[in-house]
Every structure is written in structure tokens, then in C-alpha cells.
Amino acid sequence: MSKSLIDYFRNEGNKAAITIKLKVFSKKGYAILPPISSKVLKDIVFSDDCFSQFIEYYKNGAMSFKVLSNDKGKKYYSVKKDNNENFKPLYIKENEFLRGAITAVVNKNLDISKIVGCKGEVNYSSATFNYLIDSISIKDTSELSVGIKDGGFLKITFLTPTAIPTKIMLPPWASNINRRIPKFNRILPEPSFIAAYSAKLWVKIMNINEANNIHYYTGRLADVYMAEMDYNLRPETIIVGRDELNRLRLFRGFTGFAVYRIKRGIMSKILDKTLDLTQLMGLGKLKSLGMGEIKVEALNDKFEKI
């Protein structure tokens, strides 16, 4: 018996999403941060035995790091503002606390006792950062929901620069020319690209078998079931680092928000789950380093009031 589209999004498996929030600070004066500050969290995971069991999940694409932020909500990533090759580095002052988060979708039987109370220090370039665990939260993947199951209005806020690979909407019949298609990124929040990326992320992380091209059909359906109602967006170019020739490596995406109306039906049921997973893990390119961080809010019938 063949599966319907919705069947691929019913089984969450024996998994849970764990979010580990950390405080990062410097005890030794000013400390220079990497252009994308989440790289500090990545180094913590790969250097501290507390997190050794999480490396497997990172390699399988089931882990992401949020960029560091301060108490006022400022997110620490370097924005390129002109054509100059030089840029002002990010830094934190002595004993200034920044907050970051590590999220991973793991097996429910994972022993987290090893990371409780974990603290230490990590070196990045010439700087030393201290860190400690602030909180740990766990969400069973069967509970994933953004409250849009029955349709309505949905607001997505793009907190860090977001760019979605255009190949995510490559039709199945064109897969044989995949290598000849350029690697472009979409920097507009088009429904089909958001839905397709979220569906592909779901299929990969939940280990759904026999789901080839399900993301494409989900994206196509989203263009029928979803419509933009409002938006306020702006493009940003950020600095990732430098290549082997000391040239700047750049990434361009968009931030802001968009409001969608979603028709009740198969699409609202799928997005209700997949968007919550995307909210945890990130959307698009460089999501593992905190780009494509989104906040999803179900507005229901409140859109007219905003």
C-alpha cells in the first residue's frame, strides 16, 4: 500500500530535541570573537569530553549552534558594510556574559547526566573563553507543533541572515542535471522554499525511509496552501572568515519577518510539525553555525490587529 504525503510526517521515531544553553565569558580581559560567534560553541563541543557523545549528531546534520547574544538581544556576527577588506572584529569585555545555545535531535535514551554542570574553557585563535551550562531543556519530537495544525496566520521572524539553496526545489525529473546547475541561494522567504527545506530536514533527521523527493512535492503544495500577507525584510552580507588566500569569505541572506496565511488541510498539518523542528535547528545555508535562526508564531485570527 502506497503512502500519502502526510504519512511521511507522522512518525517521529524514538527521538527528542535537546537544547543546551550556555554562558560564555572571558576572565582575562578583552577577547576577540570569530566573525560568526557560534564557532566558539562548536569548539567547545569538539574539545570538551562532556559533549563527546554529541559529535556523532553533528556529523549527521542533527546539531546546530546559535550565535552568541548579550542580555539586550544583540547577536554577535560580523556584517560587511562597505567594500573594504578590513572589518572591525567582534569582542567581549572581561567578565561580560554572552549567551548561546546548542540544539541536537538525539535518541531518547541518551544519557545527559554527563553534561549537567559542565564548565571549562576553550581557546579560539589567540583568545580564551570560559563557559558554563545555564540550562538544559528536552522536547519529545512527538510534541513538535507551532500551533498551525488547523490553519490560520503564521509569522516567521528571521533572526539571523537566512538563505535557502535554490536546488531544494529542483524537480525530480531534472535530478540527472543536478551537477550542472549553479549553487545559488534564495534570499526571499518564498513558501515553497521554506516548506521544502523544512520537509527535507525532517526526513533526514527523523530517518524517514523511502522519502525521495517528498520535500519537492511539499514545497509545490505550499505554494497553493500558503500566501504572503505582510513582510518587512532586508538583505545582509556577513563575514564568515578568510580563505587560504586571506580573502574574505562572505555570506548573504535576509533578516526581518513575513506573515503567511495557511489554508487548513494537509499543508497546515505538515508545517505544524516541520516548522517547529526548523525553528530548533535553523533554516537554509550555514544553519549549523546559527544562520537561518527563526522564530515561528501562530497568529490565528490576530493578524488584523498587528
Side-chain angles (χ1 to χ4, degrees), residues 1 11-14 24 38 46 52-53 62 88 131 150 176 194 268 287 294 301-302:
M1 184 177 178
N11 182 17
E12 298 86 8
N14 188 32
V24 177
S38 54
F46 276 82
S52 59
Q53 58 188 332
K88 186 177 180 180
Y131 60 89
D150 294 323
N176 61 324
I194 294 173
S268 63
K287 70 175 180 60
I294 65 171
D301 59 351
K302 296 184 292 184

Side-chain angles (χ1 to χ4, degrees), residues 87-99:
F87 62 94
K88 186 177 180 180
L90 302 174
Y91 65 89
I92 57 174
K93 301 175 183 178
E94 184 173 349
N95 292 324
E96 176 187 7
F97 283 87
L98 298 182
R99 289 172 169 78

Side-chain angles (χ1 to χ4, degrees), residues 174-191:
S175 59
N176 61 324
I177 62 171
N178 181 45
R179 293 184 179 180
R180 298 202 299 257
I181 296 176
K183 295 181 179 181
F184 292 150
N185 295 318
R186 193 85 175 186
I187 58 171
L188 286 172
E190 192 170 328

